[in-house]
Amino acid sequence: MQTITSVAELRQVVGLARKAGKRVGLVPTMGYLHEGHLALAEASRKQCDVTVVSIFVNPTQFGANEDLSTYPRDFQRDERLCRDAGVAIVFAPDNKEVYPEGFETFVEPGELAKPLCGGFRPGHFRGVATVVCKLFNMVQPDAAFFGQKDFQQCAVVRRMTKDLNLPVEVVTLPTVREPDGLAMSSRNRYLNEQERQRAVAISRALLAAQDEFRSGSRDVRNLIAIAEKHLKPLDKLQYLELVDSETLEPAESPLKRSATLCVAAYIGSTRLIDNMTMDLPVSIGEGAG
Ligand code: PAF
């Protein structure tokens, strides 16, 4: 495994692989890797010949009062996990390499970036879209792998890739969860023992709503109310919304299209997000022809 910090060297190494006809996969991360990231690397390894994991805590996606300075970092551990996972290249640029002096061009996502997290983290998806676009240009992968836990991020990145004609296949993989259901996240590390126990309320709420949906309920208010009952152990609910899985607009009752229940909540000072998609069974005849 190679660790590369400069775009010039990365281009050279990846360029040679591409010339040799190899398919290149990118797993963009901010480090402090967990099983979720490793599942993305594993998928990339299966679908591509060369897997690049980027590790860069991107300052432009953090708001002024957010956790940029305290975001968990452990580069040596990340390198070891990547090596064990069969990753070919760790790309770990510093801030100056990604945002050199004079940098002033951003990617501005549209409507998909406005609801949910977009309403509470102004500029967040602008920062995400910008850095992902830059990483796509730096690495020039054939495919890039993202986790469904960041549901809105996946939607924004897919839209950007399409709108800007970026020749990258965006692959989304299911959320990886702890045995009790908590979605894996680097930010789980902020939770003390008591907070960690309460955090499971998030996935319980989503699962309760999904059970209700599977039992036949298609009523948006009912599904949200079922979830809400389970969220009492959390300190502050930022949003709990059932949205159309494609447009991210509020879902309408009765549900007729795939919808995703999304939640953002604080436990102590830690903000966690999670979501669960409710897919309607395809009825006979649908999709035929
Ligand atoms: O999901 C993340 O870790 C980040 O938002 C990403 C995609 C690496 C961009 O900084």
Side-chain angles (χ1 to χ4, degrees), residues 125-203:
F125 289 113
R126 179 187 197 242
V128 169
T130 301
V131 83
V132 171
C133 184
K134 283 174 71 71
L135 287 166
F136 283 5
N137 285 326
M138 290 167 175
V139 180
Q140 304 194 339
D142 297 284
F145 298 79
F146 297 85
Q148 162 84 11
K149 189 192 75 88
D150 299 307
F151 165 73
Q152 189 172 13
Q153 169 169 285
C154 291
V156 168
V157 166
R158 263 197 309 270
R159 183 81 249 170
M160 173 197 72
T161 306
K162 196 165 180 221
D163 288 352
L164 300 184
N165 302 97
L166 304 176
V168 180
E169 182 194 348
V170 175
V171 182
T172 304
L173 287 157
T175 303
V176 177
R177 298 180 179 279
E178 300 282 357
D180 67 358
L182 178 68
M184 298 252 179
S185 162
S186 305
R187 289 190 168 101
N188 291 350
R189 130 114 221 219
Y190 295 143
L191 303 169
N192 64 31
E193 208 177 304
Q194 189 256 24
E195 290 169 339
R196 170 64 187 83
Q197 278 171 17
R198 288 192 287 131
V200 75
I202 299 177
S203 55

Side-chain angles (χ1 to χ4, degrees), residues 227-242:
E228 205 164 8
K229 275 194 218 153
H230 292 263
L231 294 175
K232 302 253 159 25
L234 307 180
D235 293 314
K236 188 172 136 201
L237 180 60
Q238 202 168 55
Y239 64 73
L240 172 66
E241 284 183 49
L242 188 58

Side-chain angles (χ1 to χ4, degrees), residues 27-31 37 54 56-58 61-62 71 124 127-129 131-132 135 145-147 150 153 157 186:
V27 180
T29 83
M30 297 205 299
H37 296 118
S54 64
F56 177 64
V57 182
N58 174 36
Q61 70 188 73
F62 288 79
Y71 195 83
H124 169 68
V128 169
V131 83
V132 171
L135 287 166
F145 298 79
F146 297 85
D150 299 307
Q153 169 169 285
V157 166
S186 305

Side-chain angles (χ1 to χ4, degrees), residues 1-2 25 38 41-42 44-46 48-53 78-90:
M1 189 183 82
Q2 268 176 285
L38 298 178
E42 173 70 13
S44 171
R45 244 172 34 86
K46 283 198 178 131
C48 304
D49 306 300
V50 174
T51 291
V52 180
V53 170
D78 287 346
E79 268 190 317
R80 184 165 29 83
L81 288 172
C82 286
R83 188 172 295 114
D84 293 349
V87 169
I89 299 167
V90 167

